[in-house]
């Protein structure tokens, strides 16, 4: 049996785990990151790619934004394409905030590089992670298989940053409250294609055939999504069928507006909302997708994960710096209002944009009325813009306390 010791054992090398390890290092706190997959796998995994202004600012402050500042695409608006007609939402004009398109795997590569340069202890291809959590203040143990050897890692705290299917959530005490959860009757088929983007800005298209989203990763690479049936298998979606459906749903005034290209990647995710509340159990702290999932309609998942670990790193800093445990005790309460704001907006946006499988005529008319409000009412457009750019979240770490504005 090998034995290791660290202050914080971090499970998962996604954006949450890697960024937490970086922020802790900047505060002189030691951590070990344990990742089930290989380095190559996590660096290539295609995920979302929309960063809010606040996320980019945080990455800049953490000296992690050099490449992002060179390569990310800054956006000042989006297009709602409603049954073939275009409506631009100029969110920068309405809020003063931009968003940034930068693939999550690019951020993961930047984080791994920064961590390696700092001599961090990142372990990939770690198997059988199991937590043995202390009841009180004593040290906890993470047991795992490292390089084929059974290893015990003794630590003060564990950060569960291992996503929705990870080991941390499975280790919650038997009496933990059940999570809040909602499943949606639809899934997203996502492709990465070597084709120029449909437009300079993101296009969110509602159409009687279903929702489509045209995003991008660069001026040469498109990221495109289609609402599909949750029972569909990726193999049922051959490239020709995908392009045909995209052409139909993204058409403007009946004209297809799309350049096709080789499909580089294809995947399917079922839409889901989920919040594990509270986000702390004794010495175990959950962050990112391990604690909450949002439907991808508003691209909040990565931004919430980044906020979680900033608040968590500050809490650990307070504890190790001055023995102040209040920020650790407050972690969950401090994060949950922002998380629920994002859950509500993502759920609302999912409901606004997707075609319902039951085709209920009344619900479809309600969707149309809601879309008309965003298009016709400056107040509704501004509120949508504020929520989309992440301004409305009460994230104390960004200096944005919840307040009633007169
Ligand atoms: N042991 C070790 N590592 C694990 C385990 C386990 N038992 N289970 C999962 N992991 C790893 C996964 O392989 C993954 O690399 O934990 C990591 C979790 O990373 P993400 O799923 O990217 O989650 P997170 O870091 O919270 O980032 C949230 O990811 O899902 C997207 O769109 C979401 O943008 C959001 C972001
Ligand atoms: C993406 O570019 O992957 C993306 C953008 C916006 C979303 C979801 C995904 O709402």
């Amino acid at each position: 049996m090998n034995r290791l010791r660290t202050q914080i054992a971090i499970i998962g090398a996604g954006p949450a785990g890697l960024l937490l390890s970086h922020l802790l290092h900047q505060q002189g706190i030691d951590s070990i990151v344990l990742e089930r997959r290989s380095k190559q796998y996590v660096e290539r995994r295609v995920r979302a790619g929309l960063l809010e202004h606040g996320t980019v600012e945080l990455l800049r402050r953490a000296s992690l934004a050099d490449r992002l500042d060179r390569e990310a695409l800054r956006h000042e608006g989006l297009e709602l394409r409603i049954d073939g007609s275009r409506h631009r939402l100029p969110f920068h004009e309405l809020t003063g905030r931009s968003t940034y398109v930068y693939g999550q795997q690019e951020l993961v590569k930047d984080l791994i590089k920064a961590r390696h340069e700092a001599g961090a202890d990142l372990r990939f291809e770690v198997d059988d992670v199991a937590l043995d959590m202390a009841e009180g203040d004593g040290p906890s143990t993470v047991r795992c298989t490292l390089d084929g050897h059974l290893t015990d890692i003794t630590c003060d705290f564990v950060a569960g940053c291992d996503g929705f299917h990870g080991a941390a959530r499975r280790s919650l005490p038997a009496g933990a409250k059940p999570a809040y959860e909602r499943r949606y009757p639809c899934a997203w088929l996502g492709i990465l294609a070597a084709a120029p983007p449909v437009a300079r800005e993101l296009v969110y298209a509602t159409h009687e055939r279903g929702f489509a989203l045209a995003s991008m990763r660069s001026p040469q690479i498109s990221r495109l999504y289609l609402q599909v049936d949750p029972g569909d298998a990726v193999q049922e979606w051959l490239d020709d069928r995908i392009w045909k459906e995209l052409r139909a749903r993204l058409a403007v005034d009946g004209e297809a507006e799309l350049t096709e290209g080789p499909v580089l990647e294809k995947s399917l995710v079922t839409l889901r909302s989920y919040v594990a509340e509270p986000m702390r159990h004794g010495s175990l702290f959950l962050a990112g997708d391990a604690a909450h999932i949002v439907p991808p309609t508003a691209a909040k998942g990565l931004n919430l994960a980044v906020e979680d670990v900033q608040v968590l790193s500050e809490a650990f800093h307070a504890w190790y710096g001055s023995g102040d445990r209040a920020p650790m005790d407050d972690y969950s309460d401090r994060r949950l209002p922002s998380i629920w704001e994002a859950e509500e907006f993502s759920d609302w946006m999912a409901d606004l944009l997707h075609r319902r499988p039951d085709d209920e005529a009344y619900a479809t008319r309600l969707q149309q009325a809601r879309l008309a409000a965003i298009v016709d009412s400056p107040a509704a457009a501004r509120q949508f813009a504020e929520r989309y750019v992440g301004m409305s979240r009460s994230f104390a770490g960004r200096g944005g306390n919840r307040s009633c504005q007169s």
Side-chain angles (χ1 to χ4, degrees):
M1 166 82 69
N2 286 341
R3 290 186 198 282
L4 299 170
R5 173 83 176 94
T6 188
Q7 288 172 300
I8 317 287
I10 300 175
I11 324 289
L18 291 165
L19 180 60
L20 178 62
S21 153
H22 177 90
L23 296 173
L24 292 175
H25 170 77
Q26 289 187 323
Q27 292 160 351
I29 301 167
D30 178 57
S31 66
I32 299 180
V33 179
L34 304 168
E35 167 60 49
R36 186 175 53 165
R37 304 285 193 170
S38 68
K39 173 170 175 286
Q40 217 185 35
Y41 182 93
V42 298
E43 288 189 338
R44 290 193 183 163
R45 188 168 40 195
V46 179
R47 291 281 187 77
L50 194 74
L51 307 186
E52 294 174 353
H53 166 90
T55 299
V56 171
E57 288 287 291
L58 192 151
L59 294 169
R60 286 184 182 137
R61 283 198 301 278
S63 310
L64 287 166
D66 286 355
R67 190 162 74 95
L68 186 154
D69 276 326
R70 285 196 307 276
E71 296 180 14
L73 306 170
R74 193 170 77 84
H75 285 192
E76 297 192 344
L78 61 81
E79 185 184 317
L80 285 175
R81 201 168 279 186
I82 306 169
D83 292 323
S85 64
R86 301 179 144 129
H87 305 274
R88 181 167 185 267
L89 185 90
F91 54 70
H92 185 268
E93 198 181 303
L94 293 167
T95 66
R97 295 280 179 91
S98 305
T99 59
Y100 298 78
V101 171
Y102 192 65
Q104 181 169 312
Q105 80 269 34
E106 301 308 319
L107 179 61
V108 165
K109 280 184 212 157
D110 296 345
L111 286 162
I112 290 178
K113 183 162 173 280
R115 294 284 47 231
H116 278 319
E117 282 169 6
D121 198 349
L122 299 189
R123 309 290 181 116
F124 291 94
E125 300 179 66
V126 178
D127 290 322
D128 315 319
V129 168
L131 314 184
D132 184 4
M133 303 306 303
E135 293 279 321
D137 271 349
S140 298
T141 304
V142 177
R143 181 156 295 169
C144 57
T145 308
L146 277 186
D147 303 323
H149 300 289
L150 202 59
T151 306
D152 267 4
I153 303 173
T154 307
C155 57
D156 302 332
F157 303 102
V158 176
C161 303
D162 49 352
F164 185 69
H165 300 287
R169 270 190 334 108
R170 285 201 302 274
S171 314
L172 295 186
K177 271 205 317 188
Y180 296 93
E181 191 161 13
R182 173 170 286 180
R183 300 285 214 115
Y184 299 81
C186 53
W188 276 21
L189 177 81
I191 61 163
L192 199 65
V198 168
R200 222 190 54 75
E201 296 176 341
L202 268 59
V203 179
Y204 291 82
T206 69
H207 191 274
E208 61 182 16
R209 298 179 69 91
F211 169 70
L213 167 61
S215 181
M216 71 232 21
R217 287 296 174 267
S218 74
Q220 295 80 34
I221 304 284
S222 285
R223 178 77 172 143
L224 297 148
Y225 298 95
L226 280 176
Q227 173 188 355
V228 300
D229 205 83
D232 285 3
V234 181
Q235 305 84 283
E236 293 170 41
W237 283 91
L238 300 178
D239 295 359
D240 282 350
R241 182 177 173 206
I242 296 174
W243 289 115
K244 183 166 166 274
E245 205 54 44
L246 285 166
R247 272 201 308 276
R249 298 186 196 181
L250 289 164
V252 177
D253 298 330
E255 293 289 318
E257 266 205 339
L258 195 65
T259 310
E260 297 180 18
V263 174
L264 310 173
E265 197 263 356
K266 205 185 283 185
S267 58
L268 198 138
V269 284
T270 305
L271 268 58
R272 176 199 299 273
S273 290
Y274 177 92
V275 183
E277 185 174 338
M279 293 162 66
R280 176 197 176 178
H281 297 268
S283 306
L284 170 63
F285 294 79
L286 300 177
D289 275 14
H292 42 75
I293 301 276
V294 282
T297 24
K300 298 294 177 209
L302 175 58
N303 298 288
L304 290 177
V306 164
E307 288 175 3
D308 285 351
V309 298
Q310 195 202 350
V311 173
L312 190 53
S313 74
E314 286 168 8
F316 288 141
H317 181 61
W319 170 249
Y320 286 109
S322 55
D324 178 6
R325 66 178 319 136
M328 288 197 311
D329 293 343
D330 290 348
Y331 168 65
S332 197
D333 287 347
R334 208 172 143 201
R335 288 300 302 134
L336 284 166
S338 295
I339 290 161
W340 277 107
E341 202 279 341
E343 291 281 341
E344 199 282 326
F345 182 58
S346 306
D347 178 272
W348 176 84
M349 228 177 130
D351 192 47
L352 180 76
L353 298 173
H354 289 92
R355 185 82 192 164
R356 297 164 59 101
D358 59 10
D359 250 348
E360 193 208 311
Y362 183 80
T364 306
R365 291 292 289 122
L366 282 184
Q367 278 178 329
Q368 289 166 353
R370 287 178 189 140
L371 286 161
I374 297 168
V375 171
D376 296 334
S377 150
R382 181 182 308 276
Q383 197 202 24
F384 181 91
E386 285 178 359
R387 302 189 80 189
Y388 185 80
V389 301
M391 238 171 116
S392 49
R393 285 206 300 283
S394 61
F395 175 47
R398 282 182 187 170
N401 285 326
R402 186 174 288 261
S403 63
C404 294
Q405 313 231 314
S406 52

